[in-house]
């Protein structure tokens, strides 16, 4: 029985792949593991059945036999620990790759989430225009440091790892802001992640879910059903 | 040789224990491991020597032989994987405890950091008073869900684990806002963490650093130096 993940029945970003199920799909593709998907509406995410799996009422969750997890960091780490391809074998290099997973989630992503809140939830507020540059500068502080660290290397610490997977996906949310374009090596880093075959397979899978939700009949016709 | 961590020479919170070195000190105390501390000024954190250890120019870092890490999540996980006391032995229960570490850092802490920014960095802005309730409500959304999950249990998932350590410390930053008082079971949860002997030893150690920075002569006199 392959593991089962949950995802949006209708993705809020219209198939751009910014929802967090992408991280898990991408990780599973990197290690060539099949998986099933259970789709949920936003309303279903707040119902007791889902809250029992995910106390914060979000997606994705990950169910494998009687184990269930609900944080993408923990899910990707679990997958990486059980299948080769996402973490180095040497214990120290491995600890450093895990360090970069946490850096993506707890140092780089929080100001990006704050910017997303400013752009999505507060765009109609009277302070929006004056405040946005402040929030963008907080993101720039982190991008500047990450850009300096990355330099002209391909990945954050040697070979591609789960740390890069989390970092690339956290940075992708910056695209609508234009901030990523200010750091050519970070734009190239994100593009490098997106060019991986595993990423492309994961992206196509989530896009298909969205297209099906929008035009179920035409997709079914294409598929010959 | 015990591991070496870095910490503020003069803690910005004046010894309240809210800086992230507390997480590492607490973890090391839980597993009864000695450690050394190297103190840094805010200026020193931005110098090349420290940036080579921590690309984002913060504290703490963790050096153990030729391994160096800079994210508290990764440091605490590394400590927990090498010493008994912070993670369950059963693989599935262990994966769930790690899941709660990530939940603390990537789901609960981001809105708390946003609130800290609103209270510390934007308190003099014209929008501050009108915006603050919105930001507090985003924190309340998470606290409500965490409170519902915790119910009347002592810890987030069975016995105390590294997941609780990270969660308690993330929640502590809410004290100045008064938000924690709205959820009696979460206040009690934080108090339960603070009552652990390992927490108290870690707290005393960071407080001593601050007191020494403020009144070096009187402390030395007390110590008989």
């Amino acid at each position: 029985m392959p593991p089962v993940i949950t995802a949006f029945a209708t993705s809020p970003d219209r198939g751009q792949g910014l929802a967090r199920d992408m991280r898990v799909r991408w990780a599973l593709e990197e290690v060539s593991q099949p998986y099933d998907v259970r789709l949920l509406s936003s309303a279903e995410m707040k119902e007791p059945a889902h809250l029992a799996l995910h106390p914060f009422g979000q997606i994705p969750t990950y169910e494998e036999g009687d184990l269930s997890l609900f944080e993408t960091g923990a899910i990707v780490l679990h997958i990486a620990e059980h299948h080769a391809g996402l973490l180095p074998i040497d214990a120290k290099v491995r600890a450093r790759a895990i360090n970069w997973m946490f850096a993506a989630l707890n140092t780089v992503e929080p100001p990006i989430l704050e910017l997303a809140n400013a752009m999505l939830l507060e765009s109609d507020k009277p302070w929006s225009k004056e405040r946005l540059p402040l929030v963008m500068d907080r993101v720039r502080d982190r991008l500047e440091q990450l850009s300096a660290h990355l330099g002209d290397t391909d990945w954050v610490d040697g070979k591609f790892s789960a740390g890069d997977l989390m970092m690339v996906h956290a940075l992708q949310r910056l695209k609508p802001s234009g901030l990523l374009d200010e750091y050519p090596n970070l734009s190239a880093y994100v593009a490098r992640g997106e060019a991986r075959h595993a990423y492309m397979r994961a992206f196509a899978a989530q896009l298909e879910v969205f297209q099906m939700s929008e035009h179920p009949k035409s997709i079914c016709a294409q598929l010959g059903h």
Side-chain angles (χ1 to χ4, degrees), chain A:
Chain A
M1 289 280 288
V4 179
I5 70 167
T6 49
F8 283 110
T10 306
S11 81
D13 69 9
R14 305 184 61 79
Q16 287 182 75
L18 300 179
R20 284 189 173 80
D21 58 295
M22 247 317 272
R23 298 176 182 181
V24 179
R25 291 176 186 271
W26 185 4
L28 287 162
E29 293 288 353
E30 288 284 349
V31 301
S32 303
Q33 290 297 306
Y35 61 99
D36 288 331
V37 185
R38 194 170 70 245
L39 300 175
L40 297 172
S41 66
S42 298
E44 285 169 328
M45 289 176 205
K46 309 300 175 193
E47 287 175 7
H50 188 65
L51 289 171
L53 289 175
H54 194 318
F56 301 101
Q58 298 178 316
I59 58 94
T61 52
Y62 177 91
E63 292 164 88
E64 183 193 294
D66 58 352
L67 171 67
S68 77
L69 302 172
F70 65 83
E71 281 282 332
T72 56
I75 297 167
V76 171
L77 183 60
H78 173 80
I79 293 166
E81 282 178 335
H82 289 81
H83 305 282
L86 280 169
L87 285 176
I89 291 165
D90 176 85
K92 285 177 186 166
V93 192
R94 191 181 185 93
R96 296 208 312 259
I98 294 170
N99 190 79
W100 279 104
M101 290 181 68
F102 280 102
L105 297 174
N106 198 231
T107 294
V108 174
E109 192 163 42
I112 294 175
L113 293 174
E114 189 170 3
L115 178 60
N117 285 344
M119 293 177 73
L120 296 172
L121 305 179
E122 299 180 33
S123 62
D124 60 343
K125 300 296 176 195
W127 57 75
S128 176
K129 197 177 163 190
E130 194 182 343
R131 183 174 174 269
L132 204 55
L134 289 187
V135 184
M136 291 177 86
D137 278 349
R138 280 182 216 145
V139 179
R140 280 192 189 97
D141 286 345
R142 291 287 171 253
L143 296 185
E144 189 79 38
Q145 293 163 320
L146 182 62
S147 173
H149 168 79
L150 191 65
D152 59 0
T153 58
D154 280 358
W155 307 111
V156 289
D157 190 2
K159 287 191 179 175
F160 175 84
S161 79
D164 294 296
L165 186 155
M166 299 310 261
M167 191 67 84
V168 165
H169 197 263
L171 293 175
Q172 283 182 312
R173 292 209 174 167
L174 286 173
K175 284 187 182 175
S177 73
L179 277 179
L180 213 49
D181 303 330
E182 297 177 15
Y183 304 87
N185 69 337
L186 296 184
S187 295
Y189 172 65
V190 170
R192 209 172 288 128
E194 292 172 348
R196 293 179 70 83
H197 289 162
Y199 177 90
M200 291 192 280
R201 286 194 297 272
F203 185 86
Q206 64 80 36
L207 181 60
E208 193 188 326
V209 170
F210 175 70
Q211 289 174 332
M212 185 72 94
S213 74
E214 287 281 282
H215 306 290
K217 284 182 188 163
S218 74
I219 301 276
C220 291
Q222 281 174 37
L223 295 171
H225 298 305

